[in-house]
Amino acid sequence: KTVVVTGANGFVASWVVKFLLERGYTVRGTVRNPDDTAKVGHLFGLSGAKERLTLHKADLLAEGAFDEVVQGADGIFHTASPYFIKGITDPEAQLLSPAIKGTLNVLKSASKASSVKRVVLTSSVAAVTNNDKPKSPEVIVDETWWSDPEYCTKQKSWYSLSKTLAEKEAWDFAKDKHFDLVVINPAMVVGPLLQSTLNTSSETILDMLKGVTKEYLNVSFGYVNVKDVALAHIFAYEIPTAAGRYLLAEKVLHYEEVVEILKKIAPAYSRPSKMVGEGPKAPTYTIKHDKVETLGLKLITVEDSFAELIESLKDSGYLSSTS
Ligand code: NDP
């Protein structure tokens, strides 16, 4: 079977590619620049890559850029989308446009390839929880929840807005097409890095451990292991009855609890010692994960996921092993 993975060099996608190769798939990965060895080099070290991985140049905003690469493929994993929170000066150009137009660009190419049976889209919990619904430890968030674009705009949560609008457009576009759409909505993804560059969710934890972040935010986020996220994509592709959205979070933690976990598993490193601002502590809530478990996934604990991320940051030299 031949599948396409967009943004193949990314944190999540690299694990998707690794597991696909291990399962015998032929993988066509799209990247912005196949010659950028710092970004893509790790992919050629994956088992099976020599025989069954090819890289193809495609920018999300280049009209028709995915037309050729999806021809003859059985499925598409659309993971590429900008994820950053620092240095946003033009949300439309930096986040909204590549996420929304990019998703439509990929889906339009899929609609012209009769071979494609299923598209698995990487959305986010950012497209689920960013709304004014009250949150408390009793609240259970499930797949019916959606982030509210107006709320995201008011909060200047541009990344959330990009993921919400991109997922909405995807569902609209995929109606009545010859392929079906399945969506994965992961929370903050942590765990070991395969790539040598640093992605946003890993950098957030690294900045705490290096003392760059001195005060933690008064917010609660869900967390999930990158290997579970990758497997969820593959199960959602392989299992014929998979349908709709799949929320993916092992546990929701307030930053205060993240700091406590980091203190326990990595006592040698720095941690932010106080919370930004005043006011009551943001509540935690539950993100349901029983739907994804019906695909056969048993989620790795957040504690193990943080420990794996820290080991990986040490191995790759981002975190000194002696401090
Ligand atoms: P990475 O930054 O590691 O990967 C993002 C990928 O998207 C990269 O391959 C990047 O290419 C590509 N990309 C960005 N802009 C463009 C563009 N204009 N044209 C082509 N490719 C582009 O992030 P993650 O692996 O963390 O994110 C992967 C997906 O998972 C995204 O859809 C993200 O929204 C989603 N997600 C991530 C979460 C997390 O905590 N990490 C949580 C929930 C969802 P390049 O390397 O060239 O920039």
Side-chain angles (χ1 to χ4, degrees):
K1 289 243 172 188
T2 298
V3 291
V4 173
V5 179
T6 68
N9 62 302
F11 175 46
V12 170
S14 296
W15 279 98
V16 175
V17 172
K18 176 179 162 63
F19 289 151
L20 285 168
L21 290 171
E22 285 172 4
R23 292 162 95 87
Y25 287 89
T26 295
V27 181
R28 298 177 188 162
T30 76
V31 292
R32 284 201 256 202
N33 180 5
D35 300 323
D36 186 344
T37 43
K39 275 193 177 182
V40 308
H42 64 285
L43 293 171
F44 293 107
L46 298 175
S47 170
K50 238 195 221 140
E51 302 79 23
R52 285 177 283 107
L53 174 68
T54 49
L55 292 187
H56 307 255
K57 188 182 172 77
D59 190 287
L60 285 171
L61 290 174
E63 196 77 30
F66 299 87
D67 279 0
E68 214 178 295
V69 74
V70 303
Q71 284 297 324
D74 302 287
I76 302 173
F77 295 85
H78 177 41
T79 82
S81 200
Y83 176 26
F84 55 91
I85 40 183
K86 288 181 188 166
I88 301 172
T89 49
D90 184 348
E92 178 64 44
Q94 293 171 286
L95 288 165
L96 300 170
S97 203
I100 303 162
K101 289 190 188 144
T103 298
L104 285 177
N105 203 15
V106 171
L107 293 179
K108 271 185 205 157
S109 300
S111 71
K112 291 184 259 176
S114 58
S115 57
V116 174
K117 310 279 182 305
R118 181 168 283 181
V119 176
V120 179
L121 169 72
T122 319
S123 184
S124 173
V125 154
V128 175
T129 54
N130 237 312
N131 53 40
D132 60 7
K133 288 195 198 187
K135 313 272 187 318
S136 72
E138 296 76 44
V139 168
I140 297 175
V141 174
D142 65 17
E143 280 81 4
T144 63
W145 278 52
W146 273 93
S147 293
D148 172 7
E150 266 179 48
Y151 183 84
C152 294
T153 307
K154 247 187 266 160
Q155 304 284 319
K156 294 189 166 48
S157 299
W158 306 120
Y159 170 69
S160 283
L161 184 63
S162 77
K163 297 303 284 182
T164 307
L165 297 179
E167 191 192 329
K168 275 188 190 292
E169 293 276 353
W171 283 118
D172 273 357
F173 184 89
K175 264 188 229 149
D176 315 321
K177 294 291 183 295
H178 70 272
F179 59 84
D180 53 32
L181 178 70
V182 184
V183 173
I184 305 295
N185 298 79
M188 285 275 269
V189 186
V190 285
L193 284 71
L194 291 174
Q195 85 279 13
S196 47
T197 53
L198 204 55
N199 64 291
T200 294
S201 54
S202 306
E203 191 176 14
T204 304
I205 305 299
L206 177 68
D207 281 352
M208 288 199 191
L209 295 165
K210 282 172 67 176
V212 175
T213 303
K214 306 238 181 301
E215 298 182 334
Y216 56 85
L217 298 173
N218 183 15
V219 285
S220 300
F221 289 127
Y223 292 86
V224 62
N225 194 293
V226 67
K227 292 179 281 185
D228 287 336
V229 178
L231 281 178
H233 280 73
I234 293 170
F235 294 166
Y237 175 71
E238 288 179 345
I239 298 175
T241 52
R245 310 169 95 194
Y246 288 89
L247 299 189
L248 212 50
E250 199 271 320
K251 205 188 250 172
V252 176
L253 301 170
H254 188 277
Y255 262 121
E256 194 174 88
E257 294 165 299
V258 173
V259 168
E260 281 309 306
I261 291 175
L262 296 179
K263 202 192 282 186
K264 207 165 88 194
I265 60 178
Y269 297 95
S270 160
R271 270 121 12 214
S273 54
K274 62 183 178 91
M275 196 162 80
V276 177
E278 303 286 312
K281 191 177 151 189
T284 57
Y285 45 92
T286 298
I287 296 178
K288 263 187 119 163
H289 45 74
D290 49 348
K291 189 177 173 202
V292 81
E293 282 170 354
T294 64
L295 299 179
L297 203 63
K298 171 113 185 50
L299 298 178
I300 300 167
T301 65
V302 287
E303 288 81 1
D304 286 350
S305 302
F306 281 120
E308 288 183 358
L309 169 62
I310 291 165
E311 278 316 302
S312 172
L313 290 171
K314 283 195 235 170
D315 290 347
S316 51
Y318 282 113
L319 197 58
S320 86
S321 44
T322 50
S323 67

